[in-house]
Amino acid sequence: MNHREPQVHELDIITEHGTVTRLPTSFPLIDPELDEYLDPDLFQKGFDDALEHLGTLPPAWARHFATTTLAQEPDPEDDEPSHTRGFRAGLYGHLRHGTS
């Protein structure tokens, strides 16, 4: 008789009651909190810088600036990608949730 170990997939959760296979869309498989490339302080600084800059512009200019900036791909050789991600998040938030 050939006894093989059951194959356990990355999506399987083993409990005392059995194996549960979760759907990949049920929750993120990669936890954004564990993003090793993201510096939370630089991200927050970029976010704050974006909102500060947008606040100095008239509403129509702020929307235009945010839209045109987000339409461009970020520089792949950016020295501070965490700051850039935060800045772009601030621009996106302004467009998505801004009252102007």
Side-chain angles (χ1 to χ4, degrees):
M1 195 185 301
N2 185 359
H3 290 279
R4 289 189 283 170
E5 289 292 319
Q7 183 179 6
V8 178
H9 299 284
E10 185 178 318
L11 300 177
D12 290 345
I13 302 170
I14 309 299
T15 69
E16 61 190 40
H17 304 289
T19 302
V20 177
T21 301
R22 61 186 173 188
L23 298 174
T25 57
S26 62
F27 50 88
L29 297 178
I30 299 171
D31 187 351
E33 296 292 325
L34 302 178
D35 184 347
E36 63 188 68
Y37 300 108
L38 182 68
D39 180 335
D41 295 329
L42 280 176
F43 182 91
Q44 186 64 51
K45 174 81 169 99
F47 189 89
D48 294 340
D49 288 349
L51 296 184
E52 181 180 333
H53 180 69
L54 292 170
T56 65
L57 301 173
W61 291 12
R63 282 191 305 276
H64 178 73
F65 175 79
T67 302
T68 56
T69 302
L70 289 175
Q72 301 171 14
E73 290 291 322
D75 183 2
E77 296 185 22
D78 188 356
D79 291 337
E80 297 294 347
S82 295
H83 183 274
T84 301
R85 287 171 65 183
F87 193 86
R88 292 175 68 85
L91 298 178
Y92 177 79
H94 177 78
L95 290 174
R96 181 85 170 125
H97 304 291
T99 57
S100 54

